[in-house]
Amino acid sequence: MSDNKKILVFGSNGMLGKYLCNLLEEKGYIVERNDKASGGVDITKEQKVRDAIYKSNASHVVNCAAYTNVNMAEEEPELAFKVNAEAPKYMAKVSKEFEIPFLHVSTDYVFGENKKEGYEEEYKNFKPLSVYGESKLKGEQNVLDQEGNTYIFRTSWLFGPNATNFIEKITKYAKELPELKVVTDEVGCPTFVKDLSKGMILALEEKIEPGIYHVCSRNSLSRYEFAKEILEIQGIDTPIKKCKLEDFERKAEIPHISILLNTKLEEARSSNEMLSEYFGESE
């Protein structure tokens, strides 16, 4: 039960924000949604963030806002850093002043070493390969520098309703084209927004200590293997051809192997289990 806690959620209109807010409201929480697209404050302005947190009288502040276009970030580094690095700093700083726990969402792209054995939560040799990864890493560092009551949730290959994602694209092209080409040399851990939201709720319910957490599927697989799972569950038999990342032109460099290891939370679900529920909810 929520004990009528009030949660202020920045970025409440994005894929994660919307899902988390809906789930919180279902659980009886009072949620204040704040998204610039629907009339909320500009999170890149410290005074606006301060006013929003002060007026909300929230028990917890959650940041689901992010600049997530990895390729565009190469052309708009200043904006990416404002949203991904400066804004979370303001939120964490003001939350600490008002003694409010703060939850922030980050990404596997803070790493870039292609470690086959994966990255534990406290691994520190970051080496991001893109402006997006650099901006998200700076955001993490800015948040931790405030030394508040802070939770950072890193996730990867996030999917869910209300967004254009890999699953939708694969499904769409499989229905339109005679065959698909999907890369075998990009490996990661897919994550359903429901699983990430539930992990974050553990923090809101103070069932876990402040710190860094990895929320993703317990298995890792290539985009090619993930595409096969996606089509299989839907009963679509369009053939998929193997290809490589170098076959596609992109502005940003991305990791070939990006595996987050969850060593702190209960064992996560498999990508297949997550997909099955995702399609069940989408019907």
Side-chain angles (χ1 to χ4, degrees):
M1 191 44 207
S2 69
D3 298 320
N4 289 333
K5 281 181 183 170
K6 185 177 185 186
I7 316 296
L8 171 62
V9 180
F10 289 104
S12 56
N13 215 27
M15 175 175 63
L16 171 61
K18 200 174 277 188
Y19 199 100
L20 177 65
C21 288
N22 291 345
L23 197 57
L24 288 171
E25 284 170 350
E26 278 172 31
K27 286 177 165 283
Y29 285 90
I30 300 160
V31 179
E32 182 169 324
R33 298 176 185 234
N34 195 305
D35 193 282
K36 195 182 176 190
S38 47
V41 301
D42 180 347
I43 58 171
T44 66
K45 306 278 192 291
E46 185 171 1
Q47 191 58 48
K48 300 277 188 195
V49 170
R50 177 176 295 281
D51 293 346
I53 294 175
Y54 178 70
K55 287 174 188 166
S56 73
N57 200 24
S59 63
H60 293 74
V61 175
V62 179
N63 180 31
C64 293
Y67 183 112
T68 57
N69 189 324
V70 178
N71 287 317
M72 265 314 274
E74 298 296 316
E75 295 181 6
E76 300 181 323
E78 199 178 322
L79 182 58
F81 270 85
K82 271 186 180 176
V83 176
N84 291 344
E86 295 301 307
K89 176 172 78 177
Y90 304 147
M91 293 174 199
K93 182 180 174 186
V94 177
S95 295
K96 190 195 176 189
E97 275 179 41
F98 296 143
E99 297 183 344
I100 303 169
F102 175 59
L103 282 67
H104 177 63
V105 180
S106 194
T107 170
D108 58 316
Y109 277 28
V110 297
F111 302 113
E113 291 181 299
N114 298 314
K115 261 171 77 76
K116 284 181 181 166
E117 59 273 36
Y119 304 98
E120 292 189 351
E121 294 85 353
E122 309 308 327
Y123 189 77
K124 293 286 186 282
N125 203 20
F126 295 104
K127 299 193 177 170
L129 303 175
S130 61
V131 168
Y132 168 72
E134 287 168 5
S135 69
K136 291 296 287 182
L137 175 59
K138 185 65 178 166
E140 283 191 16
Q141 291 166 339
N142 285 345
V143 165
L144 293 172
D145 283 349
Q146 301 307 314
E147 296 181 342
N149 190 353
T150 299
Y151 298 82
I152 293 176
F153 291 88
R154 292 195 192 114
T155 191
S156 58
W157 292 17
L158 195 61
F159 67 87
N162 306 309
T164 305
N165 57 46
F166 183 73
I167 296 170
E168 279 184 18
K169 286 179 188 167
I170 288 293
T171 304
K172 179 179 180 287
Y173 293 141
K175 289 174 178 174
E176 294 173 356
L177 302 170
E179 66 174 29
L180 301 180
K181 284 174 73 179
V182 184
V183 299
T184 56
D185 59 345
E186 184 188 354
V187 174
C189 305
T191 315
F192 183 22
V193 284
K194 182 172 193 174
D195 295 70
L196 178 54
S197 298
K198 283 184 159 183
M200 294 170 76
I201 288 170
L202 291 175
L204 297 174
E205 293 177 347
E206 286 155 22
K207 289 177 178 169
I208 54 175
E209 295 291 315
I212 298 171
Y213 294 88
H214 287 173
V215 183
C216 55
S217 64
R218 67 168 177 260
N219 62 311
S220 59
L221 69 177
S222 69
R223 288 281 186 190
Y224 170 80
E225 290 164 326
F226 191 38
K228 282 175 78 170
E229 278 191 358
I230 291 163
L231 297 191
E232 223 166 77
I233 285 175
Q234 298 178 87
I236 299 171
D237 56 7
T238 306
I240 307 177
K241 282 185 79 171
K242 296 177 178 180
C243 62
K244 299 285 186 191
L245 279 171
E246 64 190 29
D247 297 335
F248 298 92
E249 229 180 278
R250 53 185 303 148
K251 295 187 180 95
E253 189 183 345
I254 62 167
H256 284 268
I257 301 169
S258 199
I259 299 167
L260 295 178
L261 302 175
N262 158 28
T263 69
K264 295 180 173 181
L265 301 171
E266 277 184 23
E267 188 179 50
R269 297 196 288 178
S270 69
S271 56
N272 205 281
E273 288 168 322
M274 290 179 183
L275 276 176
S276 297
E277 183 165 7
Y278 170 70
F279 285 116
E281 286 195 2
S282 304
E283 281 168 8

